[in-house]
């Protein structure tokens, strides 16, 4: 038994509660919000009344010096020698009922626990209007132990009221029942002497050991973390700071119209979350076991401990907490999150992303004195990166500890900003945007980092909801609480339509790439209609220019409603990734030129003349010398398109000669423009691949009194190979104003560098 790490102490309930009241047993009301239901408390008293065991308590000796602050508010209280580790809610329940005090619930509101008791059949009940008006019940058993009360007087008064009630109802209270009721009330009153056992862990026990003991004996398997231990230390040595955390959390639950308060739509914090802000800012630490050791007065370098070191470390924490709870700092940070495109906590899958980004914001402002405008920009980019990559989703403490260790080497504001930018650039690479991100979008999860980043990008790009003139930013406003959300997720290929078409797997029907934000009434109206049926009707609401913008924002490929579902998903994922990338680019300090959307003025294109990104073709398929269809003409057009895709994109104008003179598209002898567009789409799909259509936007327009076809080709995400009739493939790139074919030996090197 020499290795036993605990001692055993027997208490009566009265001596336990007296210890709490005097302060020798620490039961801080904000160690953890009280979450037991009144029903569970009723069952606790019922078990005690019947003489059943209700468990034991686990205490931990504090080792506090005499000059340590007490937990209570009264000067005559003792220094807390023991803090409760396990059984806090049970003991709080007992203390609250027997002392008649209010407890703090999970919403940080105070409530009174009222348990009723009916002596006639020994039934306990949660007090309600019926029990309060029924003389058969003691409506609130707390009255039995009221300070200055008298049990004999209480019993006499109860019996008198009960007898009068019975007589009014034609009944009577005989002597035998009166004696039985008196005995049962006395039995209830004697619960103050109910025996309890406490296991007391030595002050020499390490936090990890205390936590391990807690887990092993706790039937619910609940774990203690380092935040619990730090909050406990604060209860002893800096109770005011612990209460500041609690008051801040309570105030963050509800907005105030009278004064500034911490309420926001991103985070309603808990004390341990706020604690992480102070520890991160004050000690550059994310792993709280180190902070716990520091606050116990331990020198991490020498492993020595002393009260002087502890006082110094608590002073550091006090300064950091002052900054982290500063309301201006608090709300300025959430403005930065909004600047990154996020509207509320519903768009953020990880609270760690908020907390750890807030630490960087506080470090940048308080420690490195970064210019406010520049700090907002860099933290907005950082938060976007952290959110979309899930940087702090796996082993968050370890990852953040490493980040804080690295950034602590920065000596000034410029170095701080440079470190963050370098970390972002090394994470959001071309491979991330073009490969990893589209793969992240292969999911049927209702929410996730990439999903929310897409919504953030739509906000950054000032996008409108699909088939609407209302902004995504406005309809995602968290303060709007209508019966139906302003914007709802709509299945572009409705579930019923897919099911009827043979897509039996729910996971396939609910792919993230099948969702788009629409207004709720449009969602209702579309219902199960096939996209080929409803899309043309909704497209007719808008001009070509507005429709092109809308289809860009919502990542819809050309002729999307006519595509095979699997091809549509594959194409749209890449387009969503591109929209997210474009949204992120808006956050870059060096500025970002928004992509050209919709119909670009053909006059502007032709005026520039042929060059690296512009080429003219007289026709699509007709040889003007023979006036016959010629596959060589189509091949020439496809070569140019492939080269634009493989290089940096560009504009191809069909119906204009090399000198920029308008010839028109009539020579190609199509019956109408739709037929010409369909023919072009078909040969691109056949010889370049359907996947490349997502980077090609064709549109017809007037030029020089003629109709011409303009193709806007964006740089591709993957190599574009032009297939020949014999099955061979060619690879083209732009070299100045020319289209050049690469040799097989050159293709491998180019593709590796470009893609």
């Amino acid at each position: 038994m020499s290795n036993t790490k605990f001692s055993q102490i027997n208490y009566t309930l009265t001596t336990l509660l007296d210890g709490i009241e005097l302060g020798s047993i620490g039961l801080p009301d904000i160690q953890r919000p009280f979450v037991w239901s009144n029903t569970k408390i009723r069952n606790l008293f019922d078990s005690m009344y019947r003489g059943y065991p209700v468990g034991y308590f686990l205490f931990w000796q504090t080792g506090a010096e005499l000059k340590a602050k007490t937990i209570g508010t009264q000067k005559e209280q003792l220094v807390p020698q023991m803090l409760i580790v396990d059984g806090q809610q049970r003991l709080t329940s007992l203390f609250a009922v027997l002392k008649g005090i209010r407890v703090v619930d999970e919403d940080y509101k105070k409530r009174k626990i009222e348990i009723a008791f009916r002596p006639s059949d020994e039934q306990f009940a949660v007090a309600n209007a019926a029990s309060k008006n029924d003389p058969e019940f003691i409506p609130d058993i707390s009255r039995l132990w009221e300070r200055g009360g008298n049990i004999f007087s209480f019993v006499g008064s109860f019996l008198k009221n009960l007898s009068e009630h019975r007589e009014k109802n034609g009944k009577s209270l005989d002597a035998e029942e009166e004696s039985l009721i008196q005995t049962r009330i006395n039995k209830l009153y004697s619960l103050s002497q109910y025996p309890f056992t406490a296991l007391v862990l030595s002050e020499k026990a390490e936090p990890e050991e205390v936590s391990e003991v807690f887990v092993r004996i706790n039937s619910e398997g609940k774990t203690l973390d380092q935040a619990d231990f730090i909050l406990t230390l604060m209860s002893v040595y800096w109770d005011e700071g612990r209460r500041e955390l609690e008051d801040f959390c309570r105030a963050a639950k509800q907005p105030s119209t009278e004064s500034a308060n911490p309420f926001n739509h991103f985070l309603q914090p808990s004390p341990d979350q706020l604690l992480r802000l102070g520890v991160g800012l004050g000690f550059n630490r994310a792993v709280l076991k180190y902070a716990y050791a520091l606050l116990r007065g331990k020198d991490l370098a020498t492993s020595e401990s002393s009260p002087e070191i502890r006082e110094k470390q608590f002073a550091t924490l006090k300064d950091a907490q002052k900054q982290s709870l500063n309301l201006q700092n608090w709300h300025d940070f959430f403005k930065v999150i909004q600047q990154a495109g996020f509207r509320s906590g519903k768009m953020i899958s990880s609270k760690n992303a908020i907390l750890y980004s807030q630490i960087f914001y506080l470090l940048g402002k308080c420690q490195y004195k970064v210019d406010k405008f520049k700090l907002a920009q860099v933290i907005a980019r950082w938060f976007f990166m952290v959110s979309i990559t899930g940087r702090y989703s796996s082993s968050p403490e370890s990852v953040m500890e490493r980040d804080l260790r690295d950034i602590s080497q920065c000596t000034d504001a410029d170095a701080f900003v440079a470190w963050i930018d370098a970390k972002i650039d090394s994470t959001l690479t071309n491979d991330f945007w073009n490969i990893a991100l589209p793969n992240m979008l292969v999911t049927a999860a209702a929410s996730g980092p990439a999903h929310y980043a897409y919504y953030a990008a739509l906000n950054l790009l000032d996008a409108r909801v699909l088939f609407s003139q209302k902004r995504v930013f406005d309809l995602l406003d968290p303060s709007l609480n209508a019966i139906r959300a302003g914007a709802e997720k709509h299945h572009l290929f409705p579930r019923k339509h897919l099911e009827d078409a043979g897509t039996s797997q729910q996971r396939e029907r609910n792919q993230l790439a099948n969702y788009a934000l629409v207004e709720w009434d449009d969602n209702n109206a579309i219902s199960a209609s096939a996209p080929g049926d409803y899309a043309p009707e909704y497209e007719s609401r808008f001009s070509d220019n507005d429709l092109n913008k809308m289809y860009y924002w919502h990542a819809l490929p050309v002729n999307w409603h006519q595509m095979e579902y699997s091809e549509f998903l594959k194409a749209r994922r890449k387009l969503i990734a591109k929209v997210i990338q474009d949204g992120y680019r808006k956050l870059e300090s060096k500025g970002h030129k928004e992509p050209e959307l919709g119909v670009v003025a053909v006059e502007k294109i032709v005026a520039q003349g042929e060059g690296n990104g512009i080429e003219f073709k007289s026709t699509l398929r007709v040889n003007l010398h023979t006036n016959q269809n010629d596959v060589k003409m189509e091949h020439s057009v496809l070569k140019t398109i492939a080269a634009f895709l493989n290089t940096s994109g560009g504009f191809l104008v069909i119906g204009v000669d090399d000198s920029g003179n308008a010839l028109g598209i009539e020579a190609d002898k199509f019956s109408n423009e739709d037929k010409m567009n369909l023919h072009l789409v078909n040969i691109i799909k056949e010889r370049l691949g359907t996947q490349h259509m997502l980077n090609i936007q064709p549109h017809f327009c007037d030029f020089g009194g003629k109709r011409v076809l303009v193709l806007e080709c964006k740089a591709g995400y993957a190599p574009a190979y032009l297939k020949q009739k014999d099955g061979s493939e060619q690879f083209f790139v732009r070299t100045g104003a020319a289209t050049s074919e690469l040799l097989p030996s050159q293709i491998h090197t180019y593709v590796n560098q470009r893609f």
Side-chain angles (χ1 to χ4, degrees), residues 166-185:
R166 294 267 183 99
E167 289 175 359
K168 288 180 182 179
N169 291 278
K171 299 178 182 179
S172 63
L173 182 65
D174 58 38
E176 182 178 353
E177 187 179 7
E178 183 175 312
S179 176
L180 185 61
I181 289 175
Q182 183 173 350
T183 300
R184 289 171 176 174
I185 295 177

Side-chain angles (χ1 to χ4, degrees), residues 42-55 117 122 124 187-188 190-191 193-196:
R42 177 203 64 193
N43 295 340
L44 171 65
F45 275 90
D46 184 67
S47 294
M48 292 169 60
Y49 180 85
R50 298 178 186 279
Y52 299 160
V54 292
F117 178 68
E122 301 180 292
F124 288 86
K187 179 180 177 182
L188 174 62
S190 67
L191 289 184
Q193 299 304 308
Y194 185 91
F196 281 98

Side-chain angles (χ1 to χ4, degrees), residues 429-431 434-435 646-648 716-719 721 731 733 742 745-755:
T429 62
N430 285 334
D431 281 348
N434 299 329
I435 300 173
N646 288 329
T647 315
S648 303
Y717 300 105
Y721 294 91
F731 191 87
V733 296
L742 296 187
S745 60
Q746 298 172 312
I747 294 173
H748 178 73
T749 301
Y750 182 86
V751 168
N752 283 342
Q753 292 176 345
R754 164 68 174 81
F755 299 99

Side-chain angles (χ1 to χ4, degrees), residues 201-497:
L201 295 171
S202 167
E203 65 183 270
K204 296 180 181 179
E206 293 295 325
E208 292 79 3
E209 291 181 304
V210 176
S211 185
E212 178 68 16
V213 171
F214 180 91
V215 171
R216 291 189 180 217
I217 68 173
N218 193 304
S219 60
E220 297 179 1
K222 185 175 181 179
T223 58
L224 289 176
D225 57 30
Q226 294 294 330
D228 290 311
F229 296 120
I230 294 177
L231 289 169
T232 297
L233 277 180
M234 292 177 71
S235 300
V236 178
Y237 297 110
W238 186 35
D239 191 51
E240 178 185 352
R242 181 179 57 83
R243 293 186 182 278
E244 284 179 358
L245 296 179
E246 186 68 17
D247 291 342
F248 195 93
C249 292
R250 184 182 298 110
K253 288 286 183 178
Q254 296 290 335
S256 171
T257 58
E258 298 178 356
S259 61
N261 87 326
F263 175 80
N264 64 90
H265 290 289
F266 291 99
L267 179 69
Q268 281 72 58
S270 61
D272 63 302
Q273 288 174 325
L274 294 179
L275 178 65
R276 289 183 180 276
L277 297 181
V279 168
L281 176 61
F283 303 111
N284 277 66
R285 290 289 189 176
V287 178
L288 292 185
K289 70 177 182 180
Y290 298 130
Y292 174 77
L294 290 168
L295 293 175
R296 289 196 77 183
K298 185 175 183 179
D299 186 317
L300 296 182
T302 65
S303 296
E304 295 180 358
S305 300
S306 71
E308 290 75 23
I309 294 176
R310 185 185 60 246
E311 290 179 7
K312 178 181 177 182
Q313 304 293 18
F314 262 104
T316 299
L317 180 61
K318 290 176 183 179
D319 290 340
Q321 185 163 303
K322 180 179 179 181
Q323 294 297 333
S324 60
L325 300 189
N326 179 284
L327 284 180
Q328 195 62 53
N329 292 342
W330 179 257
H331 288 295
D332 283 350
F333 169 71
F334 289 116
K335 291 176 186 175
V336 171
I337 293 185
Q338 195 172 80
Q339 180 177 327
F342 296 84
R343 288 291 268 141
S344 71
K346 293 180 179 179
M347 288 178 61
I348 302 169
S349 55
S350 169
K351 293 296 185 285
N352 287 327
I354 298 177
L355 292 167
Y356 290 154
S357 296
Q358 193 168 7
I359 290 173
F360 277 111
Y361 178 82
L362 291 168
L363 285 168
K365 180 175 183 178
C366 303
Q367 183 172 324
Y368 291 98
K369 311 298 182 185
V370 180
D371 172 77
K372 183 179 180 180
F373 179 79
K374 183 182 290 187
L375 179 63
Q377 287 187 311
V378 73
I379 297 301
R381 295 196 300 275
W382 177 261
F383 183 78
F384 197 102
M385 181 275 286
V386 164
S387 298
I388 194 173
T389 60
R391 184 177 185 83
Y392 299 121
S393 297
S394 179
S395 303
E397 276 195 351
S398 299
V399 176
M400 184 61 174
E401 182 78 13
R402 184 169 61 249
D403 286 346
L404 287 174
R405 182 178 64 245
D406 291 346
I407 209 165
S408 66
Q409 305 302 311
C410 297
T411 55
D412 56 27
D414 290 341
F416 175 85
V417 172
W419 183 91
I420 290 181
D421 280 337
K423 189 64 68 175
I424 294 173
D425 290 342
S426 67
T427 304
L428 301 183
T429 62
N430 285 334
D431 281 348
F432 173 81
W433 294 117
N434 299 329
I435 300 173
L437 183 52
N439 287 336
M440 289 170 63
L441 294 167
V442 183
T443 177
S447 59
H451 185 192
Y452 294 139
Y454 176 50
Y455 287 174
L458 292 177
N459 287 332
L460 290 167
L461 295 169
D462 200 31
R464 272 47 177 176
V465 173
L466 183 61
F467 303 135
S468 170
Q469 293 291 2
K470 295 185 176 68
R471 298 194 310 163
V472 172
F473 186 88
D474 295 327
L475 294 190
L476 292 181
D477 185 344
S479 65
L480 299 177
N481 291 306
I483 296 174
R484 297 282 294 266
E488 296 183 341
K489 290 193 297 185
H490 160 66
H491 286 77
L492 291 162
F493 283 67
R495 288 174 294 185
K496 184 65 167 58
H497 164 72

Side-chain angles (χ1 to χ4, degrees), residues 503-559:
T503 305
S504 58
Q505 296 294 321
Q506 183 175 339
R507 183 180 185 279
E508 287 304 305
R509 298 194 296 269
N510 290 341
Q511 281 291 299
L512 188 152
N514 193 26
Y515 287 119
L517 288 174
V518 300
E519 291 193 66
W520 70 266
D521 47 351
D522 286 338
N523 198 18
N524 272 358
I526 291 171
S527 186
S529 301
D533 294 333
Y534 74 78
E537 176 186 348
Y538 283 90
E539 289 175 345
S540 66
R541 294 177 174 178
F542 305 95
S543 67
D544 288 343
N545 190 46
D546 286 343
L547 190 62
N548 284 333
K549 287 182 181 180
M550 190 166 293
Y551 277 9
Y552 159 72
W553 289 326
H554 293 279
L556 294 174
V558 175
N559 295 325

